[in-house]
Amino acid sequence: MTYELYYWTGIQGRGEFVRLALEDAGADYVDVARNRGDAVLDPFLAGDSSEDALPFAPPILRAGHLLIAQTAAILAYLGQHLRLVPEGEARRIYANQLQLTVADLVAEVHDSHHPIAASLYYEDQRLEAQRRAADLRAHRLPKYLGYFEQVLARSDGRHALGEHSYVDLSLFQLMAGLDYAFPNAMRRLGKDMRRLRALAGEVAQRPRIAAYLDSPRRLPFNENGIFRHYPELDDPA
Amino acid sequence: MTYELYYWTGIQGRGEFVRLALEDAGADYVDVARNRGDAVLDPFLAGDSSEDALPFAPPILRAGHLLIAQTAAILAYLGQHLRLVPEGEARRIYANQLQLTVADLVAEVHDSHHPIAASLYYEDQRLEAQRRAADLRAHRLPKYLGYFEQVLARSDGRHALGEHSYVDLSLFQLMAGLDYAFPNAMRRLGKDMRRLRALAGEVAQRPRIAAYLDSPRRLPFNENGIFRHYPELDDPA
């Protein structure tokens, strides 16, 4: 099957969590908007598509007759079909729970530069962003990253689920984004997240992921995406 | 099976979405913290439980040997086991997508009174809350509620999925919470959400839901929960 991914061009965004799964599995997929422009998203978002399922926002995956939106829902589906999640109901449910927790942190990272409104420019909420980002760095990042360290410790120390899964790919992406956005804070927190660091290093060396990261398909992080580097939102150097 | 629900006492919170599913299905369940106090949550949150799965936050459901956290993951599980979701992979996936979109709005509602930090008092972020809540009322509520209206229109007009499901219960709870928090804004938006209003009315009249809403198990909304009524965050009267 050829999967079709629909996501905004120009940023990694939430679509990147889906891309990493497709790339790691060597799946046959088309990144539709990158080929044909963001306008391909319009029918979905205007409610004009003829599908039964109505997405609220990208990323959207077409898989045969299925149309799936919401990153965690897409990954739960792909995990099973691309063998990126361990067998068994309990493991699949736990993978989904972990992915949803990644998603919660991703939303908090977004709001650290847009605490008032996604529809306003960063410059129009910069002071509020400084307050929110300070809390993120002081409380939320240590809490979430400490949690994921515990998850790894409780497993085999190297994988969230005792073997490779889409959750590890997402944790890699989370670390990559946080390193880009908050390099000073991540250095400070480094000593408490040795397992996450090792996991991220191992994922980056998986042959298909390494090839993907070297390819033009992997866009650089930038200040239109979720993970943005604004020095005033990071720890002082 | 007797399900065990673990959630904070004193508020409806995200646990309420799970309670509504359990109550609607007439499931046998124990609301553990309400019987034994919030301290029963400590072992989970300290990482001291002996389970394979480590929750990040409540609600948490114990179902036999399974321990499930994240509201949408719990409802995806209960939906199948309590017959609160239509048959078939496509419908289950769509239900989950819709629930995740409800969850996204619930998180935005929370942040409308806590835009800077969950760890700070409302009073310490009241000005920022007024800016964020104004955007929620002007842009986000119409966008989300308009979306759910489209979902209903594309289905049978009365159910998100063409028949009763946990998603309808969640939409009921969403409307109840928004009516409590933003009564003036919801009156203004009313003409554009006739289907959601009808759905909420029908859910409230389901016998087990009506009995639950009349029982002491249904806590009133209050200013410790997610849906809070602060007049300065609503439209002017």
Side-chain angles (χ1 to χ4, degrees):
Chain A
M1 167 164 23
T2 300
Y3 295 103
E4 293 180 0
L5 171 64
Y6 292 83
Y7 194 71
W8 308 115
T9 60
I11 60 170
Q12 291 185 20
R14 288 178 172 84
E16 196 69 7
F17 295 94
V18 180
R19 275 187 206 102
L20 286 170
L22 292 165
E23 294 279 349
D24 186 65
D28 183 18
Y29 80 100
V30 181
D31 207 327
V32 183
R34 289 218 186 142
N35 292 346
R36 293 166 44 205
D38 282 342
V40 298
L41 291 162
D42 293 345
F44 297 118
L45 303 180
D48 292 340
S49 76
S50 59
E51 321 277 344
D52 277 355
L54 186 65
F56 181 72
I60 302 164
L61 185 79
R62 192 193 297 282
H65 71 289
L66 292 173
L67 190 75
I68 314 176
Q70 285 279 2
T71 310
I74 295 171
L75 289 173
Y77 172 84
L78 286 179
Q80 284 201 260
H81 290 264
L82 301 178
R83 298 175 177 273
L84 281 173
V85 71
E87 301 273 335
E89 182 183 38
R91 301 278 85 188
R92 283 201 311 274
I93 289 174
Y94 190 35
N96 183 38
Q97 182 221 300
L98 293 170
Q99 185 65 42
L100 288 169
T101 307
V102 169
D104 285 345
L105 176 52
V106 167
E108 293 195 28
V109 168
H110 172 273
D111 282 11
S112 74
H113 51 73
H114 276 74
I116 300 300
S119 59
L120 293 176
Y121 290 112
Y122 167 64
E123 288 70 22
D124 294 328
Q125 50 198 312
R126 182 187 290 221
L127 291 178
E128 294 91 341
Q130 289 184 28
R131 281 191 81 192
R132 177 146 185 163
D135 182 77
L136 181 81
R137 299 189 324 265
H139 299 115
R140 304 302 285 171
L141 286 185
K143 182 174 160 109
Y144 275 103
L145 298 177
Y147 166 74
F148 288 121
E149 278 286 319
Q150 275 191 301
V151 166
L152 295 176
R154 177 171 297 225
S155 173
D156 67 351
R158 298 165 52 227
H159 304 94
L161 294 157
E163 60 185 85
H164 179 62
S165 73
Y166 69 81
V167 177
D168 291 353
L169 299 172
S170 293
L171 289 172
F172 158 79
Q173 175 65 8
L174 186 62
M175 294 293 283
L178 292 172
D179 281 341
Y180 174 79
F182 306 107
N184 297 336
M186 289 296 277
R187 249 192 311 277
R188 170 175 52 83
L189 295 169
K191 66 179 185 332
D192 297 322
M193 47 186 196
R194 294 201 179 92
R195 291 185 185 89
L196 280 169
R197 277 272 164 250
L199 176 152
E202 286 196 27
V203 167
Q205 289 171 42
R206 292 177 64 83
R208 289 190 184 119
I209 294 293
Y212 170 65
L213 297 177
D214 271 348
S215 78
R217 300 192 301 287
R218 173 75 166 187
L219 301 181
F221 288 105
N222 63 46
E223 279 57 59
N224 295 314
I226 294 170
F227 295 102
R228 303 188 184 189
H229 180 56
Y230 295 125
E232 65 271 26
L233 300 188
D234 191 10
D235 282 7
Chain B
M1 168 165 22
T2 301
Y3 296 103
E4 292 180 0
L5 171 64
Y6 293 83
Y7 194 72
W8 309 115
T9 59
I11 60 170
Q12 292 185 19
R14 288 178 172 83
E16 196 68 8
F17 295 94
V18 180
R19 274 187 205 102
L20 286 169
L22 293 164
E23 294 279 348
D24 186 66
D28 183 17
Y29 80 101
V30 181
D31 206 329
V32 184
R34 289 219 186 140
N35 291 347
R36 293 165 43 206
D38 282 341
V40 298
L41 291 162
D42 292 346
F44 296 118
L45 303 180
D48 292 339
S49 76
S50 58
E51 321 277 345
D52 277 355
L54 186 66
F56 181 72
I60 301 164
L61 185 79
R62 192 192 297 280
H65 71 290
L66 292 173
L67 190 75
I68 314 176
Q70 285 278 3
T71 310
I74 294 171
L75 288 172
Y77 172 85
L78 286 179
Q80 284 200 260
H81 290 263
L82 301 178
R83 297 174 179 271
L84 280 174
V85 71
E87 301 273 335
E89 182 183 37
R91 301 278 86 188
R92 283 202 310 273
I93 288 174
Y94 191 35
N96 183 37
Q97 182 220 301
L98 293 170
Q99 185 65 42
L100 289 169
T101 307
V102 170
D104 285 346
L105 176 51
V106 167
E108 293 196 28
V109 168
H110 171 273
D111 282 12
S112 74
H113 50 76
H114 276 74
I116 300 300
S119 58
L120 293 176
Y121 289 113
Y122 166 65
E123 289 69 22
D124 294 327
Q125 51 198 312
R126 182 187 290 220
L127 291 178
E128 294 91 341
Q130 288 184 29
R131 280 191 81 191
R132 178 147 185 162
D135 181 79
L136 181 82
R137 298 188 325 264
H139 300 116
R140 304 302 285 170
L141 285 184
K143 182 175 161 111
Y144 275 103
L145 297 177
Y147 166 75
F148 288 120
E149 278 286 318
Q150 276 191 299
V151 166
L152 295 176
R154 178 170 295 227
S155 173
D156 67 351
R158 298 166 50 230
H159 305 93
L161 294 157
E163 60 185 85
H164 179 63
S165 73
Y166 70 80
V167 177
D168 292 352
L169 299 172
S170 293
L171 289 172
F172 158 80
Q173 175 65 7
L174 187 62
M175 294 293 283
L178 292 172
D179 282 340
Y180 174 78
F182 306 108
N184 297 336
M186 289 295 279
R187 249 191 310 278
R188 170 175 53 83
L189 295 168
K191 65 179 184 335
D192 297 322
M193 47 186 198
R194 293 202 180 91
R195 292 185 185 87
L196 280 168
R197 277 272 164 250
L199 176 151
E202 286 195 27
V203 167
Q205 289 172 42
R206 293 176 64 82
R208 289 190 184 119
I209 294 294
Y212 169 65
L213 297 176
D214 272 346
S215 78
R217 299 191 300 288
R218 172 77 167 187
L219 300 183
F221 288 105
N222 63 46
E223 279 56 58
N224 295 314
I226 294 171
F227 296 101
R228 302 188 185 189
H229 180 56
Y230 296 125
E232 65 271 26
L233 301 189
D234 192 9
D235 282 5

